[in-house]
Every structure is written in C-alpha cells, then in structure tokens.
Amino acid sequence: MSSKGIITIERHIIEAERQFPEATGAFSNILYDIAFAAKMIGKEVRRAGLADVLGYTGEVNVQGEEVRKLDEYAHEVLFKALDHTGHLCGMASEEVEDFIPIPDRFPTGNYSVVFDPLDGSSNIDANVSVGTIFSVQRKVSDHPRGCVDDCLQPGYKQVAAGYVVYGSSTMLVYTTGNGVHGFTLEPSIGEFLLSHPHMCIPEKGQRIYSVNEGNYSRWSAGQRRMVDWMKGATPDNPRPFSSRYIGSLVADFHRNLLYGGLFMYPADVKNPNGKLRLLYEAAPLAMIVEHAGGKATDGQRRIMEIEPESLHQRTPLFIGTSEYVDLAARFLAEETVEEPALAGV
Ligand code: AHM
Ligand code: MG
C-alpha cells in the first residue's frame, strides 16, 4: 500500500469537493451515481458470454443500427441511476433520439448528463473491450425542468467528462478540469480505487496511429498522404509508426492516452462528417485528452469549440498526442506534399 493509503473514487471526489466550500454536493453525487452505474454495466459485460444477453433485439436505434440488448441495458442502468436524484434537468443518450426529460414524479436540478452507454458494442460477441462515455454540463436554459439546450452545449462548457473501459479490468477515468484520474475496479470489494492519478499523455510516447484503414480509398488526398507517411510508405519518414486499431473507441483512446499516439476517424466520401458523435464521444474525450496534455480536433477546429446543432451530430476526430494532432492538421491542409517536420524523427 502506498503512504497515502487506498483512495476510493468516493474519497477522491469528496476531497476534490472540499476545495469548493460553496459546493452543494450535487455534482459529486452525479459522479458517484455514474460510477455505480458503471459497476452494474461492467458486471453484465463480464457475463456477456454466459448470460442470455447476446444477439439482436431486432430494433433499430436512431443511428439506423441494430440495437443489442446490452446497449439497452447499459442505457437503462444509467438512466435509472440518474433520473430520481433531483440533481439533473435532463439527459441525452446515444441510444435515444430526443432529449430525455426527468420523469414528472421526480425533482429536477442544475446539471445535465450526456452519455454513450456502451460504445463499441458490436465488438461484444468477440470479447473485445467496450466502454461507456459520459459528460456533465450545467443547466443553461430558462426552462424550469430543463430542455434540449441543456445538453446541446459546446465541449468547453463541460464540467466533467469521463469514460469507463470494460477490459481485462474495469477502469473509470474522469476529469473535472483538475487533472485526469484513473480508477481500477477491485472486483472483490466492488470499489473503484485510484490507480492512475494525474494521467498525462506522453509527449514523446509511442508512435502509434489508430484508424480504420479499410476506408483508405474513400479518404481525402491529405488523409491518405498522412497515413502513407506514418507507415513509412514515403521515403521521408525513416521511422514508421505502429498501427493499432481495436475498433472500439474507448479502448483505442485509453491505450493512446497511456502510451501516446493518434486516433483518427476522418471524414470520407461516404461519411462526410466522419462516424463518431460530437456530444457522446468526441467532446468528452476531447476534455480528457486536453487535461492530460493532448489535443483533439476535427482536422481544423478544436473539438471543444464546436457548437453542437443537434444531439446526434457527427464529427471527424483526430485525438491524442499534441504533436501528432498538429501533424494531422498540416497534412489535411496541404495541397502539395511538404516534408512534415516532426521533432524526434
Ligand atoms: P458505436 O457507437 O455504434 O459503438 O460506434 C462507435 C464505434 C467506436 O467505438 C469505434 O471507434 C468505431 O465505431 C469503429 O468504427 P469502424 O468499424 O467504422 O472502424
Ligand atoms: Mg458510440
């Protein structure tokens, strides 16, 4: 045990709250409730191969994809963990088309939560890591019980963001703007324990690029040039990057946060805005990466500054080590091939 002892997520949140004497505790309670929901979801994810939760429900979600039962379960768990507390004025979920009001029988509060309950769930059958992504915002509308505007806020207005990766262990990583902290679930006692305090993406980390290269023929010339350069297919890069792509955003992002690297889901001719969702995926991870010393853009603009127009809006995403995100922007902007100057090459 370290000299500081074991720090549970509850203790960590309480100690952070003490720095704000005016805090009501509402915000801390929201974070506990999300951590509780994550334990419930993690328990079901671990049983996915055993329980009768696999396969399709036959329904189609708002993205036009078949919904798996575990997605629905994860959504329900988060909703029910948060709906009755009196801390929220509404929610939005990747699994639901519209703003989710708080049921009339419960009081409302001054925050909203946006979440992707089970990202990467198409990987579940193959026992690949999946995740939950969440974002907390302050109520901004005049509507007494909240409205969609309370969820439709740009990333820089988030007051907290985090994700849970259900992998070889279950880990919850979050930031409230004061560092990025990771907690690993100790399953025997059911507690998230601080295992990764003050996470920083390595500035000189591993040279990793993560992208679905099967879309290569649909990419812009700049995007293709960048990946060609990264893999050393052009003579001006003597140190090729490694390619690592799980196809499960939280897992790909988490690896790159620990080791360094660049995750990309670019625009292509089929998906002119990319595939990933601004509110449920890009903005929360952008808040985390920025507080860990990295960057996130859509290739031009900082993700955190994009004003959302609709709940399910998509955005291209370039996220990870600052130097690589800057490199991506240069490749995407250049019409002609310039030798990119990458420090340390
Ligand atoms: P989902 O929200 O429907 O699970 O889709 C998002 C997932 C991400 O986890 C992942 O980065 C991406 O889709 C992979 O897409 P692709 O299969 O096109 O590479
Ligand atoms: Mg998703």
Side-chain angles (χ1 to χ4, degrees), residues 94 116 119-120 277 281:
E94 198 196 284
D116 183 352
D119 184 68
R277 291 76 169 174
E281 293 160 332

Side-chain angles (χ1 to χ4, degrees), residues 32-42 74 77-79 81-82 166:
Y32 300 151
D33 293 338
I34 293 172
F36 170 74
K39 289 183 214 170
M40 297 275 292
I41 297 167
V77 166
L78 277 159
F79 174 70
L82 294 164
Y166 309 102

Side-chain angles (χ1 to χ4, degrees), residues 61 63 65 71 94-95 116 118-123 129 131 133 211-213 215 245-252 263-265 271 275-277 281 314:
N61 74 7
Q63 317 291 344
E65 304 153 336
D71 300 65
E94 198 196 284
E95 291 296 326
D116 183 352
L118 204 60
D119 184 68
S121 54
S122 63
N123 289 307
S129 300
I133 309 174
V211 69
N212 184 343
E213 231 172 315
N215 294 327
Y245 190 69
I246 297 169
S248 194
L249 175 62
V250 172
D252 277 311
F263 175 92
M264 301 175 259
Y265 210 111
N271 304 299
K275 176 182 181 189
L276 301 175
R277 291 76 169 174
E281 293 160 332
R314 295 174 195 262

